[in-house]
Amino acid sequence: MIEGVPLRFRIPEPPARPGERADFSYIVVPPAGSARRPEIETDPSEMRDLAYSLIRVLDDDGSATGPWIPELEPDALYHGLRAMVMTRTYDDRMLMAQRQGKTSFYMRCTGEEAIAVGHALELDRDDMFFPTYRNQGWLIARRWPLVEMMCQVFSNEKDRLHGRQMPIMYSAREVGFFSISGNLGTQFIQAVGWAMASAIKGDTRIASGMVGEGTTAEADFHNALTFATTYQAPVILNIVNNQWAISTFQGIAGGNQSTFAARAIGHGIPALRVDGNDYLAVIAATRWAAQRARANLGPTVIEWLTYRAAAHSTSDDPSRYRPADEWKSWPLGDPIERLKNHLIARGDWSEEQHRDLVADVDREVLAAARDAESYGTLLDGRVASAKSIFEDVYKDMPPHLQRQRRQMEDER
Amino acid sequence: MIEGVPLRFRIPEPPARPGERADFSYIVVPPAGSARRPEIETDPSEMRDLAYSLIRVLDDDGSATGPWIPELEPDALYHGLRAMVMTRTYDDRMLMAQRQGKTSFYMRCTGEEAIAVGHALELDRDDMFFPTYRNQGWLIARRWPLVEMMCQVFSNEKDRLHGRQMPIMYSAREVGFFSISGNLGTQFIQAVGWAMASAIKGDTRIASGMVGEGTTAEADFHNALTFATTYQAPVILNIVNNQWAISTFQGIAGGNQSTFAARAIGHGIPALRVDGNDYLAVIAATRWAAQRARANLGPTVIEWLTYRAAAHSTSDDPSRYRPADEWKSWPLGDPIERLKNHLIARGDWSEEQHRDLVADVDREVLAAARDAESYGTLLDGRVASAKSIFEDVYKDMPPHLQRQRRQMEDER
Amino acid sequence: MTTMAMNAAIRSAIDVMMERDDNVVVFGEDIGYFGGVFRCTEGLQAKYGSERVFDAPIAEGGIVGAAVGMGAYGLRPVIEIQFADYVYPGLDQLISEAARLRYRSSAEFTAPLTVRMPCGGGIHGGQTHSQSPESLFTHVCGLITVIPSNPYDAKGLLIASIEDDDPVIFLEPKRLYNGPFDGHHDKPVVPWAGHPLGEVPDGYYRVELGSAAIRRPGDDLTVLAYGTMVYVAEAAAEETGIDAEIIDLRTLLPLDTDTIEASVAKTGRCVIVHEATRTSGFGAELSATVQELCFYHLEAPIERVTGWDTPYPHAQEWDYFPGPARVGAAYRRVIAA
Amino acid sequence: MTTMAMNAAIRSAIDVMMERDDNVVVFGEDIGYFGGVFRCTEGLQAKYGSERVFDAPIAEGGIVGAAVGMGAYGLRPVIEIQFADYVYPGLDQLISEAARLRYRSSAEFTAPLTVRMPCGGGIHGGQTHSQSPESLFTHVCGLITVIPSNPYDAKGLLIASIEDDDPVIFLEPKRLYNGPFDGHHDKPVVPWAGHPLGEVPDGYYRVELGSAAIRRPGDDLTVLAYGTMVYVAEAAAEETGIDAEIIDLRTLLPLDTDTIEASVAKTGRCVIVHEATRTSGFGAELSATVQELCFYHLEAPIERVTGWDTPYPHAQEWDYFPGPARVGAAYRRVIAA
Ligand SMILES: Cc1ncc(C[n+]2csc(CCOP(=O)(O)OP(=O)(O)O)c2C)c(N)n1
Ligand SMILES: Cc1ncc(C[n+]2csc(CCOP(=O)(O)OP(=O)(O)O)c2C)c(N)n1
Ligand SMILES: [Mg+2]
Ligand SMILES: [Mg+2]
């Protein structure tokens, strides 16, 4: 018996703090192409290893390799690249707008563009996506008008959400993008419920939900996995492991003891762990999981390994809690660069074409911003009317809200 | 692409309903002694198989076999047997009292006695146990007075909980038994918090929490695993898989897709899956997990495989949802019979001695019941005073409660 | 017309709606094959199949969350929380999601769920089977809160709730499932058979949300009550001989302030009765509203008779439960004031 | 004495208590190395080590649940919920566990936690960074609910909360962290430096729980307010010229009814102001209480000025926020009545 040893309390610490050298030795990067690709019919118990490996298609030279290479038209690749570039450009423009006071708040997804863009382009138009606040790439990939997005960010007169939601909390049913909640994790189980409903109705549409690695600790993450497995719901449950949750590194969510993909194992759900900065891997893994769901083979969990290159939000200053240049050491690189290099390596693209693309996208984003600003911004106060805040609380406005609305008008 | 296939909604069904033949083919019973016993220092990633195997020590002939045989004095075995017999006798007596209206409610643990009894006798006196309502065996094993237990069940004048709690919701700090909550799962994370506190203080005490397999679906189950792994808390997290949660079989909690022990894998916590009707296996697995915790090796999850032989509670009639004789087909037998046979096989016990024990225990329980009833029962209304309900809401009674207490007295 | 107990009336409402609308699905803990611990869904799985009536894992947050997703898809989930005391793990999904989905998406997505839950005491359930959390829901804009007091209303209100396009919290006073209960726990149980409100049409009908019912017209004082307390209020009127006008609110939000105002304007006196703890209970809102609407009519202070501000005790249940004696004492005080 | 902003005063309270009592531990999301999104724990991890000040997983239920277990062990956890809007996943542990542990175990086990959370609007946080859920807590017996309006009180009340042996909900109006705010959002921000209540002793002192403070004595009417609304009420008094007696409740439960009663008995008029939605907000309880205690003194209906019964909108924040114009209008109506 080992007794009488004083217990110790251990708190996981990130490998590097400000002033220290970035250290990603905890990220093991296997060669591209090394992860196996089981048939989608494989029993989940036969593929637990995939929760610990890393699916990668693009190698350091930009060539695609291994069993996960997805069949894709060059056009599709080009569209993905353009959407990623557009997403980053959009983010930079909106960040600037926030600095100018045109909006109260903004969140970028820099470095993570491949995930939402690839996911959006691979799923079907009628599927439903339950996104996070870092999935603007989906909207851009699906060509939801930039002006619509910006009007929401500016909370202006043309904002379809009537200024009710904070910036970036989009809702875009036409492109299968569920209304974003400010509460973490709540939509993961909703995605499962939506998928259950689709199965109940004998429909063919599937759902996909996304959370950050920090959010895996929330109750609704567990609810989602339990309901997904019990009812074998046609849903993809994505975990974007970008290493940070505001100032908290992934070890605080339990990431030092296991991969996040492995959370699925105990529920008997197959899990893939995927290089989220590898656009081809994103397409391939999404396709595999979607095929399983559509074939009545049930849910799949995907952990996307990536890095949050920018601040958490405009309210955040990451240099207070991590090395300012950590991003430069991130071993999985930049998704845009990697896809660009791949296209170049294939002979389908050139540095010059890329420069043109960037310039072109820049112009498009700028034009959209001008257009959107013409409908007002938070700064100039051209926002939805005060009395509109009483609408949509209920389908029909109950008497007490009518009274309150009258009172508001009387007291102006 | 497999598309256009209508989705199907699948709801797990138990193998047999009333009128059908009991069917436990889903329970795989490996031979006793076949599960390996890793050293406690083994890395969790090296023992994932134990979440899918079944640790058994006692074979069908009552002999102990394999690497998990615990060292135990014959006296300790005798004490365990006696506590199990006492637990069952106590349950039967209290059931009768409920039928007589002496209490409003009762819950038996028939068939599951080995788990709480063995756990109680193996852990240290100063450890803290966060129990379920089916863990009365702990109190009996630790010789908490039967009369105390019964006075709580009768809600009588001597009830230490002053009639505030429903019957069986004991609290017994002296024997390391935390106050039972009526809300499922809430205490699992509390056990982790208690263990974290012990580690923070450099103490040597550990915690143990228990939930039913149905309760693994609750949020606090996930909270417990996340906090336990992140802070490597010295805690044992037990899942009693007795196949049923009221009328709902284990498949609805996700048990058809995986074992419950395996829930731990994704959190990087070692898990044991144990024959819960095998007293020696209970002792051995508890010891192994406690040693890990005391040696600063972190948490362990244990799934105890057992069967809820009786009704869920006195409000329940299981013949409405499962074959009335299902218990008879349960492949892991009766824990009392199995330990008895083992003692007989060892030559330490006989049928006659056992009959004497049962008679002796019967007398003791009956005497205690008489004693307890002398302090009143719910039937005769000799319960704690009405005004005592205002005490212990806060440490010091605030003015509004004093006013309400006065009002209660005025209006009598 | 058939005589139905309240749980049977609830079952009948669900049955009618499942028949009429394929999008109605029902799930919750133990509600499938078994039919629910209070038998409110008995026979429905056999009738509609386990794809539309099914057991759920023990995860109230998951149950509500999945229902929100289903509602967004286009279904009308009717879910059961086994006891109102267990709704708290589901509160985040109710407050942060169901209640605000329409608003935050400008009606792109909605959550037309009905969340049924047994509430209230009187069955020796102790602190975890007796709670009345209604006031919490009424503080959450976007939710509708309903609480019937008899089989007829239960069915009509539940049908209206399921048809409503917003999330409805449907509280079922469990002590009323088998009969009206006036707090005289030592008297024999009275069944619904024989009570006029136990007569329930077999088919479809609605009792509109947002309208109260006057259960007993009277001139001396107005009593605002709901659920079990309606019968306690009636018993107290009978026992004190005070001519109370007893209003059964039926829907707490939106509240039928017209009926309340008219009554208090007439009587000038008001007693509010509920079983929930007093501080910040729904009685507070009622009291504030009455004094705002009827200040110049009030001849006596408004009184609240409620559960005490303690957890619901097990052995002292009848000292906690606001019975006819306590309610009658309040009537007398308010009349004497 | 030092001039401190309110977040600094909060930090100072925790610091003082960590120094005095080894059993005080602090955890929550982003509160460790980083010091919290509002900097309320800045520097504490460096001073006391990560064993006593540490980051938690994003699981509010887990944070509260772990704290309950620690409290039962004998520690005094001081936990932070990053925004009050995110407390709902932790409500079950607060309502079903922390609040009732002492009662259900007859004091064998207790839960001496302090649950800090920023609340209220005014920072363009929209519906998920602006809520004021205080009334929910006040309905839960077993909890104490505190809400300071200035640095001096914040420190003294927080020390008293940490020392208290019962669970305390400690709400921090986030718009007050950096300065008093009277609702005139278009005027420059006023810092705490210069405000008398920004002067804070460096060491230990207590402001007792359960006692209100009269911020402005007056004869015309009584205003019941707390948190940010205290300054709005002051501005409205100044702008209308009405001689309001402004009471800062500081502790909502237990409530200082003596101070309230004495004031309303004197003025005969009462306005209640809070930022939370109106229906079943804490104003309802206040209104009910005032009319119970002071019915025969009241010369006009009690008015409630509150947030509207809608989610907190982002762009229309200042139409939602109960500012001096709305509060002043209520003063005038109550005086004229
Ligand atoms: C229920 C809830 N708790 C806390 C927060 C505050 N919060 C917003 S984002 C965030 C970090 C989330 O991290 P992660 O899930 O890893 O996503 P990422 O930001 O990295 O994409 C926190 C704690 C919240 N929005 N909701
Ligand atoms: C939060 C909560 N939800 C629901 C219930 C009602 N309930 C009491 S026991 C029970 C079944 C529990 O099953 P399991 O966890 O398997 O434990 P067992 O009874 O089999 O020991 C349910 C649903 C509860 N007590 N608490
Ligand atoms: Mg993250
Ligand atoms: Mg069970």
Side-chain angles (χ1 to χ4, degrees):
Chain A
M1 291 287 287
I2 312 156
E3 249 168 306
V5 181
L7 295 166
R8 278 196 328 274
F9 189 55
R10 279 150 303 166
I11 298 95
E13 293 292 343
R17 288 295 192 187
E20 294 173 352
R21 244 179 116 103
D23 174 7
F24 283 114
S25 54
Y26 72 94
I27 303 272
V28 179
V29 185
S34 59
R36 71 193 183 96
R37 184 180 187 283
E39 295 303 315
I40 57 168
E41 294 80 7
T42 311
D43 192 87
S45 66
E46 302 299 319
M47 30 179 173
R48 292 184 196 129
D49 55 310
L50 290 174
Y52 301 98
S53 63
L54 190 65
I55 295 171
R56 308 181 70 223
V57 174
L58 289 175
D59 69 14
D60 293 349
D61 309 326
S63 29
T65 165
W68 285 92
I69 299 180
E71 263 180 64
L72 268 185
E73 305 294 310
D75 236 35
L77 284 179
Y78 168 76
H79 187 52
L81 181 68
R82 188 170 199 281
M84 289 202 281
V85 169
M86 177 92 74
T87 301
R88 192 167 293 178
T89 309
Y90 173 79
D91 274 358
D92 292 342
R93 170 74 35 199
M94 289 301 97
L95 179 71
M96 200 184 299
Q98 194 274 343
R99 298 254 156 85
Q100 296 165 340
K102 291 173 185 164
T103 173
S104 60
F105 180 79
Y106 193 71
M107 291 177 106
R108 288 182 290 164
C109 65
T110 315
E112 307 176 27
E113 294 88 350
I115 299 163
V117 166
H119 210 62
L121 294 180
E122 185 56 30
L123 291 183
D124 280 2
R125 290 216 69 88
D126 290 342
D127 296 335
M128 185 59 75
F129 182 49
F130 291 75
T132 76
Y133 45 71
R134 236 181 272 288
N135 293 154
Q136 53 268 52
W138 174 289
L139 295 172
I140 289 173
R142 292 205 166 186
R143 301 185 202 270
W144 203 53
L146 287 177
V147 175
E148 286 273 10
M149 294 175 70
M150 290 169 171
C151 288
Q152 198 284 328
V153 171
F154 294 153
S155 293
N156 67 17
E157 287 170 350
K158 210 181 165 229
D159 170 14
R160 302 202 304 174
L161 305 185
H162 305 296
R164 290 177 195 156
Q165 274 278 50
M166 274 182 75
I168 70 143
M169 299 288 176
Y170 314 104
S171 181
R173 191 179 182 121
E174 310 92 294
V175 290
F177 190 93
F178 190 72
S179 152
I180 299 180
S181 171
N183 297 65
L184 294 172
T186 47
Q187 299 182 274
F188 222 45
I189 174 68
Q190 292 168 10
V192 176
W194 197 98
M196 287 168 67
S198 186
I200 288 171
K201 299 303 277 187
D203 196 348
T204 59
R205 296 180 287 162
I206 66 170
S208 174
M210 221 167 255
V211 291
E213 91 295 339
T215 302
T216 60
E218 284 287 7
D220 283 323
F221 176 81
H222 183 60
N223 286 329
L225 267 62
T226 305
F227 280 65
T229 197
T230 291
Y231 303 110
Q232 290 292 295
V235 66
I236 309 177
L237 296 170
N238 303 276
I239 304 162
V240 179
N241 179 359
N242 64 3
Q243 315 306 315
W244 290 93
I246 311 186
S247 77
T248 302
F249 91 116
Q250 52 87 35
I252 294 290
N256 283 6
Q257 306 299 329
S258 180
T259 68
F260 292 96
R263 295 281 192 280
I265 292 178
H267 293 267
I269 301 176
L272 307 179
R273 193 157 168 273
V274 183
D275 179 346
N277 288 13
D278 175 341
Y279 186 79
L280 295 191
V282 172
I283 295 290
T286 300
R287 185 173 296 175
W288 188 86
Q291 282 179 351
R292 285 191 79 251
R294 288 190 215 290
N296 275 306
L297 293 165
T300 305
V301 166
I302 307 180
E303 175 184 350
W304 306 103
L305 210 62
T306 184
Y307 182 82
R308 194 198 79 210
H312 172 73
S313 74
T314 49
S315 312
D316 178 46
D317 173 7
S319 73
R320 298 184 84 126
Y321 52 79
R322 68 183 188 186
D325 60 353
E326 209 182 47
W327 164 227
K328 295 197 186 116
S329 315
W330 173 244
L332 301 179
D334 176 339
I336 296 182
E337 282 301 301
R338 286 175 68 191
L339 181 56
K340 180 186 98 181
N341 291 342
H342 172 60
L343 281 166
I344 292 175
R346 283 168 64 129
D348 288 330
W349 198 238
S350 70
E351 290 288 354
E352 204 191 329
Q353 280 174 299
H354 196 77
R355 267 194 304 277
D356 290 349
L357 168 68
V358 169
D360 189 46
V361 160
D362 239 16
R363 270 189 301 276
E364 191 174 330
V365 170
L366 188 63
R370 292 229 172 89
D371 190 3
E373 284 185 38
S374 75
Y375 302 104
T377 68
L378 202 61
L379 196 60
D380 66 20
R382 285 170 54 204
V383 300
S385 73
K387 65 182 237 192
S388 72
I389 71 168
F390 293 99
E391 281 153 29
D392 292 331
V393 182
Y394 297 91
K395 185 172 182 205
D396 303 309
M397 198 180 298
H400 69 288
L401 285 182
Q402 293 176 25
R403 275 195 299 274
Q404 292 182 20
R405 189 173 58 172
R406 267 198 307 278
Q407 191 189 343
M408 176 196 261
E409 308 215 294
D410 291 348
E411 288 181 2
R412 300 209 121 211
Chain B
M1 289 289 286
I2 312 158
E3 249 167 305
V5 180
L7 294 166
R8 278 197 328 275
F9 188 55
R10 280 150 302 165
I11 298 96
E13 293 290 345
R17 288 295 193 187
E20 293 173 352
R21 244 178 116 106
D23 174 5
F24 283 114
S25 55
Y26 72 93
I27 303 273
V28 178
V29 185
S34 59
R36 71 193 183 96
R37 183 181 187 283
E39 294 303 315
I40 58 169
E41 294 80 8
T42 312
D43 193 87
S45 66
E46 302 299 319
M47 30 179 172
R48 292 184 195 128
D49 55 309
L50 291 175
Y52 301 98
S53 64
L54 190 65
I55 295 171
R56 308 180 69 222
V57 174
L58 289 175
D59 69 14
D60 291 349
D61 309 326
S63 27
T65 166
W68 286 91
I69 301 181
E71 263 181 63
L72 268 186
E73 303 296 309
D75 236 36
L77 284 179
Y78 168 76
H79 187 53
L81 180 67
R82 188 168 199 283
M84 290 201 281
V85 169
M86 177 92 74
T87 301
R88 192 166 294 177
T89 310
Y90 173 79
D91 274 358
D92 292 342
R93 168 78 30 198
M94 291 299 98
L95 179 70
M96 198 183 300
Q98 194 274 342
R99 299 254 156 86
Q100 296 165 340
K102 292 174 185 163
T103 173
S104 60
F105 180 79
Y106 194 71
M107 292 178 104
R108 287 181 291 164
C109 65
T110 315
E112 306 177 28
E113 294 88 348
I115 299 163
V117 167
H119 210 61
L121 294 179
E122 185 56 30
L123 292 183
D124 280 2
R125 290 216 70 86
D126 289 342
D127 296 335
M128 185 60 75
F129 182 50
F130 291 75
T132 75
Y133 45 72
R134 236 181 273 288
N135 295 155
Q136 52 268 51
W138 174 289
L139 294 172
I140 288 172
R142 292 206 164 184
R143 302 185 201 270
W144 203 53
L146 287 176
V147 175
E148 287 273 9
M149 296 175 68
M150 290 170 171
C151 288
Q152 199 283 328
V153 170
F154 295 153
S155 293
N156 67 17
E157 286 170 351
K158 208 181 166 229
D159 170 13
R160 302 205 302 178
L161 305 185
H162 305 295
R164 291 177 194 155
Q165 275 278 52
M166 274 181 76
I168 69 139
M169 300 287 177
Y170 314 104
S171 181
R173 193 181 179 120
E174 309 92 293
V175 292
F177 190 93
F178 190 73
S179 152
I180 299 179
S181 171
N183 298 66
L184 294 172
T186 46
Q187 300 183 271
F188 222 45
I189 173 68
Q190 292 168 10
V192 176
W194 197 98
M196 288 168 68
S198 186
I200 288 171
K201 299 303 277 187
D203 196 347
T204 58
R205 296 180 286 163
I206 67 170
S208 174
M210 222 168 254
V211 291
E213 90 295 339
T215 303
T216 61
E218 285 287 6
D220 283 324
F221 177 81
H222 183 60
N223 287 329
L225 266 62
T226 306
F227 280 65
T229 199
T230 291
Y231 304 110
Q232 290 292 294
V235 66
I236 308 175
L237 295 170
N238 303 276
I239 303 162
V240 178
N241 179 0
N242 64 3
Q243 314 306 315
W244 290 92
I246 311 185
S247 77
T248 304
F249 91 117
Q250 53 85 36
I252 295 290
N256 283 7
Q257 306 298 329
S258 179
T259 68
F260 292 95
R263 295 281 192 281
I265 291 178
H267 293 268
I269 300 176
L272 307 179
R273 192 157 168 273
V274 184
D275 178 346
N277 288 11
D278 175 341
Y279 186 78
L280 295 191
V282 172
I283 296 289
T286 301
R287 186 174 294 175
W288 188 87
Q291 283 179 351
R292 285 192 78 251
R294 288 190 214 291
N296 275 306
L297 293 164
T300 304
V301 166
I302 306 179
E303 175 184 352
W304 305 103
L305 210 63
T306 185
Y307 182 83
R308 194 198 78 210
H312 172 73
S313 73
T314 49
S315 312
D316 178 46
D317 172 8
S319 71
R320 298 183 84 126
Y321 52 79
R322 67 183 190 187
D325 61 352
E326 210 182 46
W327 162 228
K328 293 198 187 115
S329 316
W330 174 245
L332 300 179
D334 175 339
I336 295 182
E337 282 301 301
R338 285 175 69 192
L339 182 56
K340 180 187 98 180
N341 292 341
H342 173 60
L343 279 167
I344 292 174
R346 281 169 65 130
D348 289 329
W349 198 239
S350 70
E351 290 288 356
E352 202 193 329
Q353 279 174 302
H354 196 76
R355 268 193 303 278
D356 289 349
L357 168 68
V358 170
D360 189 45
V361 161
D362 239 16
R363 269 189 302 275
E364 191 174 329
V365 171
L366 189 62
R370 293 231 171 89
D371 190 5
E373 285 186 39
S374 75
Y375 301 103
T377 68
L378 202 61
L379 196 59
D380 65 21
R382 285 169 54 202
V383 300
S385 73
K387 64 182 239 193
S388 72
I389 71 169
F390 293 98
E391 281 154 29
D392 293 330
V393 182
Y394 297 91
K395 185 172 181 206
D396 302 309
M397 197 180 297
H400 69 289
L401 285 182
Q402 293 176 25
R403 275 195 300 274
Q404 292 182 19
R405 190 174 56 172
R406 267 197 307 277
Q407 191 188 343
M408 176 195 260
E409 307 216 294
D410 290 349
E411 288 182 1
R412 302 211 115 207
Chain C
M1 281 289 184
T2 319
T3 296
M4 292 187 197
M6 198 166 91
N7 50 1
I10 285 161
R11 183 164 58 239
S12 172
I14 301 172
D15 191 358
V16 164
M17 286 309 299
M18 292 196 78
E19 189 92 48
R20 289 169 71 98
D21 184 351
D22 271 357
N23 288 323
V24 174
V25 296
V26 179
F27 62 106
E29 297 160 18
D30 299 296
I31 68 92
Y33 184 89
F34 183 57
V37 294
F38 291 106
R39 332 287 326 135
C40 291
T41 56
E42 191 163 23
L44 295 176
Q45 185 179 76
K47 184 162 176 191
Y48 295 101
S50 63
E51 297 208 350
R52 290 182 65 199
V53 182
F54 52 89
D55 286 334
I58 305 175
E60 292 76 11
I63 291 170
V64 181
V68 171
M70 291 179 184
Y73 176 93
L75 301 189
R76 285 192 183 274
V78 179
I79 57 180
E80 176 176 306
I81 302 292
Q82 199 162 79
F83 286 85
D85 315 62
Y86 304 141
V87 73
Y88 307 115
L91 271 192
D92 188 40
Q93 283 285 344
L94 286 171
I95 297 177
S96 306
E97 298 294 322
R100 289 200 260 122
L101 183 56
R102 175 187 294 279
Y103 193 77
R104 74 167 199 246
S105 71
S106 285
E108 265 194 8
F109 299 96
T110 60
L113 14 150
T114 304
V115 187
R116 296 180 38 245
M117 55 187 106
C119 68
I123 64 156
H124 270 304
Q127 55 187 271
T128 56
H129 303 84
S130 306
Q131 293 169 41
S132 297
E134 66 274 5
S135 99
L136 304 184
F137 303 117
T138 61
H139 189 44
V140 180
C141 55
L143 298 181
I144 290 170
T145 301
V146 177
I147 177 165
S149 72
N150 59 73
Y152 181 89
D153 282 356
K155 180 169 174 182
L157 288 166
L158 184 51
I159 287 175
S161 299
I162 296 173
E163 289 188 327
D164 198 277
D165 288 326
D166 288 307
V168 179
I169 307 294
F170 193 86
L171 292 150
E172 304 170 1
K174 65 178 84 67
R175 182 63 212 228
L176 299 182
Y177 278 135
N178 296 316
F181 176 66
D182 64 7
H184 286 296
H185 54 96
D186 31 15
K187 294 203 189 132
V189 175
V190 186
W192 280 113
H195 195 287
L197 293 167
E199 289 291 299
V200 177
D202 287 312
Y204 172 93
Y205 69 98
R206 288 170 57 101
V207 173
E208 295 307 325
L209 306 184
S211 86
I214 297 179
R215 292 288 167 221
R216 182 192 189 287
D219 286 323
D220 291 350
L221 60 82
T222 299
V223 183
L224 304 181
Y226 46 91
T228 314
M229 290 301 126
V230 169
Y231 304 97
V232 176
E234 285 177 353
E238 204 161 303
E239 289 160 26
T240 58
I242 290 171
D243 189 23
E245 176 145 300
I246 297 172
I247 299 179
D248 177 356
L249 297 174
R250 301 200 292 198
T251 303
L252 306 190
L253 196 121
L255 185 65
D256 181 353
T257 47
D258 291 347
T259 300
I260 295 172
E261 187 174 359
S263 177
V264 179
K266 176 178 74 173
T267 64
R269 294 167 204 272
C270 182
V271 171
I272 295 158
V273 194
H274 63 61
E275 208 179 330
T277 51
R278 178 186 179 89
T279 303
S280 292
F282 192 62
E285 177 59 37
L286 290 172
S287 173
T289 300
V290 167
Q291 96 58 62
E292 279 154 16
L293 295 174
C294 308
F295 182 80
Y296 297 103
H297 293 289
L298 282 175
E299 288 162 38
I302 304 162
E303 276 229 26
R304 291 182 278 170
V305 186
T306 69
W308 308 112
D309 278 333
T310 77
Y312 214 113
H314 172 256
Q316 303 90 339
E317 173 146 42
W318 304 115
D319 299 301
Y320 185 92
F321 187 94
R326 280 178 61 204
V327 174
Y331 289 2
R332 291 208 188 85
R333 275 193 302 271
V334 168
I335 291 293
Chain D
M1 282 289 184
T2 318
T3 296
M4 293 186 197
M6 199 167 89
N7 49 1
I10 285 161
R11 184 164 59 239
S12 172
I14 302 173
D15 192 356
V16 164
M17 286 309 300
M18 292 196 79
E19 189 90 48
R20 288 168 70 99
D21 183 351
D22 272 357
N23 288 323
V24 174
V25 297
V26 178
F27 63 106
E29 296 160 18
D30 299 297
I31 68 94
Y33 185 90
F34 183 57
V37 296
F38 291 105
R39 332 284 329 131
C40 291
T41 56
E42 192 164 23
L44 294 176
Q45 186 179 77
K47 185 162 174 190
Y48 296 101
S50 63
E51 296 208 351
R52 291 183 63 200
V53 182
F54 52 91
D55 286 336
I58 305 175
E60 292 76 11
I63 291 171
V64 181
V68 172
M70 290 178 184
Y73 176 92
L75 301 189
R76 286 191 183 274
V78 179
I79 58 180
E80 177 175 305
I81 301 293
Q82 199 162 79
F83 286 86
D85 316 62
Y86 304 141
V87 73
Y88 307 115
L91 271 192
D92 187 40
Q93 283 285 344
L94 286 172
I95 296 176
S96 306
E97 298 293 324
R100 288 199 262 123
L101 184 56
R102 174 187 295 280
Y103 193 76
R104 74 169 200 245
S105 71
S106 285
E108 266 193 8
F109 299 96
T110 60
L113 13 151
T114 304
V115 187
R116 296 180 38 244
M117 55 187 107
C119 68
I123 64 158
H124 270 305
Q127 55 186 268
T128 56
H129 303 85
S130 307
Q131 294 169 40
S132 298
E134 66 275 4
S135 99
L136 304 185
F137 304 116
T138 62
H139 189 43
V140 180
C141 55
L143 298 181
I144 290 170
T145 302
V146 176
I147 177 164
S149 71
N150 59 73
Y152 180 89
D153 282 355
K155 179 168 174 183
L157 287 167
L158 183 51
I159 287 175
S161 299
I162 297 172
E163 289 188 328
D164 199 277
D165 288 326
D166 288 308
V168 179
I169 307 294
F170 193 87
L171 293 149
E172 303 171 1
K174 63 178 84 70
R175 181 66 210 226
L176 298 182
Y177 279 135
N178 297 317
F181 176 67
D182 65 7
H184 286 296
H185 54 95
D186 31 15
K187 295 205 189 131
V189 175
V190 186
W192 279 112
H195 195 287
L197 292 167
E199 291 289 298
V200 177
D202 288 311
Y204 172 93
Y205 68 97
R206 289 170 58 101
V207 172
E208 295 307 325
L209 306 183
S211 86
I214 298 179
R215 291 288 166 221
R216 182 192 189 287
D219 285 323
D220 291 350
L221 60 81
T222 299
V223 184
L224 304 182
Y226 46 91
T228 314
M229 290 302 126
V230 170
Y231 304 97
V232 176
E234 285 176 352
E238 203 162 302
E239 289 160 28
T240 57
I242 290 172
D243 189 23
E245 176 144 301
I246 297 172
I247 298 178
D248 177 355
L249 296 174
R250 303 200 290 199
T251 302
L252 306 189
L253 196 122
L255 185 64
D256 182 354
T257 48
D258 291 348
T259 300
I260 295 172
E261 186 174 1
S263 176
V264 178
K266 176 178 75 175
T267 64
R269 292 167 205 273
C270 181
V271 171
I272 295 159
V273 194
H274 63 62
E275 208 178 330
T277 51
R278 178 185 179 89
T279 303
S280 293
F282 192 63
E285 177 59 37
L286 290 172
S287 172
T289 299
V290 167
Q291 88 73 49
E292 279 153 16
L293 294 175
C294 307
F295 183 78
Y296 297 103
H297 294 287
L298 282 174
E299 287 163 37
I302 304 162
E303 277 230 25
R304 289 182 281 171
V305 186
T306 69
W308 309 111
D309 278 332
T310 78
Y312 214 114
H314 173 255
Q316 303 91 338
E317 173 145 42
W318 303 116
D319 299 300
Y320 185 91
F321 187 94
R326 280 179 60 206
V327 175
Y331 289 0
R332 289 206 189 84
R333 275 194 302 271
V334 168
I335 291 292

